[in-house]
Amino acid sequence: HMQTMGVRKYVLRLYEYLDCSDVAFITALMYLDRIQAANNNNRLTLLNLHRLFATAVLVAIKYHDDEHFSNEYYAQVFGMKGLEEINELEALFLSLMDFRVGVSEKEYYFYKMHLMQSQMEIPTHTSFEPCTSPVACSAA
């Protein structure tokens, strides 16, 4: 089961098997922040992180990339039970996002720069602690 896989290893697995743009991964993080900002009850935890991030990546791929795989393939890569689960998660995710999947260039570059700066500052052995936004992460 994918939840037993560490976050870093899971993200590397997705990166290896999805053959998608880096933009999709950055956009997925933006989507997660949007969901948390919209409702404080929507929290990233170690119990939901894999599925939420995978679903965010799926939506970002479909929005940004010209080509993508079937949801059956994504369900396999994500470690989900099958097509029904991934379709339900995608619909729920889009609903939580109020179907606003567009990203401005300014917002995208803000996240990209934050991620690049964070990568330089954080040792690779640091344990994962979810943040509510790039601003909150940099304040930690």
Side-chain angles (χ1 to χ4, degrees):
H1 201 270
M2 292 298 159
Q3 277 188 311
T4 59
M5 184 181 292
V7 174
R8 181 177 174 81
K9 189 173 180 182
Y10 186 69
V11 171
L12 291 174
R13 173 189 166 79
L14 298 187
Y15 196 79
E16 178 182 353
Y17 287 101
L18 295 183
D19 190 34
C20 64
S21 67
D22 292 344
V23 173
F25 279 91
I26 294 170
T27 301
L29 294 173
M30 296 166 69
Y31 289 167
L32 293 176
D33 273 355
R34 285 182 186 179
I35 286 174
Q36 283 193 192
N39 182 337
N40 284 336
N41 293 326
N42 299 324
R43 303 298 300 170
L44 283 177
T45 69
L46 292 176
L47 296 175
N48 68 18
L49 178 65
H50 291 77
R51 281 186 164 65
L52 279 173
F53 182 69
T55 307
V57 169
L58 172 70
V59 171
I61 288 170
K62 289 183 175 183
Y63 180 76
H64 282 290
D65 294 356
D66 292 333
E67 296 179 16
H68 55 82
F69 297 106
S70 67
N71 274 14
E72 289 101 345
Y73 178 80
Y74 290 120
Q76 272 189 320
V77 172
F78 296 156
M80 295 181 182
K81 295 173 190 160
L83 186 59
E84 186 175 334
E85 180 181 18
I86 197 167
N87 287 343
E88 286 178 17
L89 286 171
E90 183 179 13
L92 177 61
F93 192 88
L94 286 166
S95 177
L96 288 171
M97 294 271 302
D98 200 24
F99 294 87
R100 293 181 299 118
V101 294
V103 172
S104 73
E105 189 175 337
K106 181 179 178 181
E107 185 181 16
Y108 171 79
Y109 283 110
F110 172 79
Y111 275 76
K112 182 177 179 178
M113 292 307 299
H114 174 74
L115 287 170
M116 290 170 60
Q117 289 170 351
S118 295
Q119 192 63 25
M120 289 184 268
E121 297 169 4
I122 299 174
T124 57
H125 64 275
T126 301
S127 63
F128 172 77
E129 292 185 31
C131 295
T132 56
S133 70
V135 176
C137 290
S138 62

